[in-house]
Each structure stands twice: as structure tokens, then as C-alpha cells.
Amino acid sequence: MIVPPALYLPIVPGSDNQQIAVVRTLVDGRRGLLAYTALDRLADKCGNEQPWMLVMTSELGRLKQEQPFDVVAFDIDVPAPMRQGARLA
């Protein structure tokens, strides 16, 4: 897979009203950072009201220090039960 220079990451409110990237436990138990290679894919797979941030791929190491994850989960479809309306729950 060719990884683009920037990724769209869905965000959710964290502590102190800080926005944090979404890291979810995957079916194999690993922690996956949800990342989308295009904004339309994020909207299609997470919901069209999903807040997001743009991150340079080169910054993933820094993000991993702040929010530990095992893998980057590219362009995955988030099932409807894990959504609240048109965004992630």
C-alpha cells in the first residue's frame, strides 16, 4: 500500500475538552489508529458529520507517543452500531 503524505484522522472529545484521534481495539486485540487516505472515505465510513484532523504521515510517531497504538488501520468501515448518528460514538 502506498501511504499518502497526509492522513485524515477522526477525532472525538477527550479529557479537558481536548480533541483526540480515535484509537480502537481491533478484532485481533491490537490497538488501531483509525486513518483515512481521503476525506470522502472518512465521511463515507465514519459518518458525514464526523470531526477530523489532518496529520502529516511523518507525525505519526509523535502521535503514537501521545496516544499509544499498535497499527494504523487504513480506510476501515465503522459499523453502524459503533456510530451515533452521522459520527463515531
Side-chain angles (χ1 to χ4, degrees), residues 10-22 50-51 87-89:
I11 56 175
V12 293
S15 60
D16 300 327
N17 283 337
Q18 229 177 339
Q19 298 292 318
I20 59 171
V22 176
Q50 177 60 48
R87 62 176 49 204
L88 299 177

Side-chain angles (χ1 to χ4, degrees), residues 24 44-47 77-89:
R24 295 281 168 94
D44 182 53
K45 297 177 183 293
C46 295
D77 192 14
V78 177
M82 296 180 78
R83 296 185 194 185
Q84 182 176 357
R87 62 176 49 204
L88 299 177

Side-chain angles (χ1 to χ4, degrees), residues 57-69:
T57 304
S58 61
E59 292 294 313
L60 289 179
R62 180 192 56 77
L63 183 62
K64 187 174 185 175
Q65 290 177 348
E66 296 171 9
Q67 289 185 251
F69 58 87

Side-chain angles (χ1 to χ4, degrees), residues 4-65:
L7 295 168
Y8 297 90
L9 307 182
I11 56 175
V12 293
S15 60
D16 300 327
N17 283 337
Q18 229 177 339
Q19 298 292 318
I20 59 171
V22 176
V23 176
R24 295 281 168 94
T25 301
L26 304 176
V27 293
D28 62 5
R30 294 179 298 167
R31 306 253 316 138
L33 172 72
L34 301 188
Y36 295 86
T37 55
L39 188 54
D40 62 330
R41 289 184 186 148
L42 181 141
D44 182 53
K45 297 177 183 293
C46 295
N48 60 3
E49 293 179 13
Q50 177 60 48
W52 54 272
M53 66 179 174
L54 183 66
V55 173
M56 299 306 292
T57 304
S58 61
E59 292 294 313
L60 289 179
R62 180 192 56 77
L63 183 62
K64 187 174 185 175
Q65 290 177 348

